[in-house]
Amino acid sequence: MVIPPPEKAARVTRFLKPYLLRMHFTNKYVSAQVIHSPTATVACSASSQEKLLRPSMESTRDVAAAAKIGKLLGERLLLKGIPAVSIHMKREQKYHGKVKAVIDSVREAGVKLL
């Protein structure tokens, strides 16, 4: 049984940035997802684990793969009608390397970053 998240008050959700970009990097794969924070659901995601992407990628874990995942995620966001997202980076993540590649390619796809 799935328990839905608690409803937040309207005055709280008005000031939240509703869509949040989260990135996850492992030694083998790169994945990114956009979460709709008021409902705690995944609005859109992209990963280098997807079967259709793997043949077109040289490597599934380098900076080029991260850039490709960011571009794909940006295109999927625009198709869903999500024009802007905010970024959530973990404490140890810096705006460098794979993180920079994902963020820059999402921005180049036409999604605004808050």
Side-chain angles (χ1 to χ4, degrees):
M1 182 170 128
V2 176
I3 300 171
E7 288 294 321
K8 295 180 181 174
R11 60 185 170 77
V12 174
T13 57
R14 186 175 61 210
F15 295 107
L16 288 177
K17 295 176 181 170
Y19 291 101
L20 197 62
L21 171 65
R22 298 195 68 169
M23 298 162 280
H24 184 69
F25 306 101
T26 64
N27 290 335
K28 289 187 176 184
Y29 301 109
V30 175
S31 63
Q33 61 185 5
V34 173
I35 299 171
H36 185 245
S37 56
T39 59
T41 58
V42 175
C44 193
S45 67
S47 174
S48 60
Q49 290 179 330
E50 297 176 16
K51 277 192 171 186
L52 296 175
L53 281 180
R54 274 196 241 155
S56 65
M57 299 171 90
E58 196 171 306
S59 173
T60 58
R61 60 184 174 191
D62 59 352
V63 176
K68 196 166 207 171
I69 293 302
K71 182 179 178 187
L72 180 67
L73 183 67
E75 291 170 358
R76 288 179 181 176
L77 285 171
L78 291 177
L79 284 176
K80 284 209 168 188
I82 301 172
V85 296
S86 60
I87 301 168
H88 179 267
M89 291 194 295
K90 296 177 185 171
R91 179 176 288 167
E92 66 270 4
Q93 288 180 336
K94 294 184 171 77
Y95 185 71
H96 177 71
K98 294 177 192 176
V99 175
K100 183 177 187 225
V102 171
I103 293 172
D104 288 346
S105 55
V106 166
R107 186 181 295 134
E108 288 171 6
V111 178
K112 292 183 181 172
L113 301 175
L114 303 174

